[in-house]
Amino acid sequence: MVKVGDKAPLFEGIADNGEKISLSDYIGKHNIVLYFYPKDDTPGCTREACAFRDNWDLLKDYDVVVIGVSSDDINSHKRFKEKYKLPFILVSDPDKKIRELYGAKGFILPARITFVIDKKGIIRHIYNSQMNPANHVNEALKALKQIKEEEIS
């Protein structure tokens, strides 16, 4: 698995709107919260996604792009995003190649891991917790606050 301090592996994927996105589109412009989750519209994944949604105003203060990744297809992502009014990007990773790049595989279930990446493309924080999905946004916010403080000083 990648570690804090590593350069974030670049990837391309298909977003919930059907368009191709690339992580390199955001590096140099925004901080990035990249989170991997097991499956759309399941209890833990819904709690996690809604926690990011419910903290959206706080996240926006940190010039951040949030990208959720699972192996669900585009139609599933579209329904999940519409149902819960998610204001961020969901990327389909059906062959689990993006997961493999980050070492976010998991054992029985696909891992629930959040990576905070700064504007230079460096991984600044990793939070791995299958059992506490709603805490992923809190961990991301702590890391983003630290990045912002470093930019100011």
Side-chain angles (χ1 to χ4, degrees):
M1 183 159 77
V2 294
K3 300 178 296 305
V4 170
D6 288 353
K7 252 201 158 335
L10 298 179
F11 65 84
E12 291 183 342
I14 304 298
D16 53 85
N17 62 4
E19 293 179 17
K20 189 195 285 195
I21 70 156
S22 173
L23 191 68
S24 62
D25 295 341
Y26 304 107
I27 291 176
K29 300 174 190 149
H30 304 283
N31 294 305
I32 301 158
V33 172
L34 175 65
Y35 82 94
F36 292 88
Y37 64 100
K39 188 155 182 50
D40 289 342
D41 217 2
T42 56
C45 298
T46 299
R47 271 197 312 280
E48 182 178 23
C50 290
F52 278 107
R53 178 201 65 201
D54 295 346
N55 286 277
W56 192 245
D57 287 339
L58 290 172
L59 287 160
K60 286 192 309 190
D61 289 342
Y62 296 102
D63 189 18
V64 70
V65 171
V66 175
I67 303 171
V69 179
S70 82
S71 57
D72 295 299
D73 65 28
I74 302 304
N75 290 329
S76 176
H77 279 340
K78 208 177 287 188
R79 285 190 304 273
F80 186 48
K81 187 171 180 169
E82 287 170 8
K83 182 175 180 179
Y84 294 102
K85 297 179 175 36
L86 305 177
F88 48 84
I89 302 164
L90 297 177
V91 172
S92 183
D93 184 27
D95 52 12
K96 299 177 179 65
K97 282 194 161 93
I98 302 170
R99 261 189 195 283
E100 284 179 27
L101 276 176
Y102 282 80
K105 292 183 187 176
F107 296 106
I108 297 166
L109 292 173
R112 181 186 313 282
I113 302 179
T114 298
F115 297 86
V116 178
I117 304 164
D118 68 17
K119 290 178 184 173
K120 295 177 187 140
I122 304 299
I123 295 172
R124 298 293 301 273
H125 186 70
I126 301 171
Y127 181 67
N128 183 352
S129 173
Q130 191 68 263
M131 303 314 290
N132 199 349
N135 198 42
H136 283 256
V137 71
N138 299 326
E139 288 288 320
L141 284 164
K142 277 193 267 185
L144 291 164
K145 183 176 184 214
Q146 184 177 345
I147 292 168
K148 189 172 188 175
E149 287 170 359
E150 289 171 13
E151 288 174 349
I152 293 168
S153 58

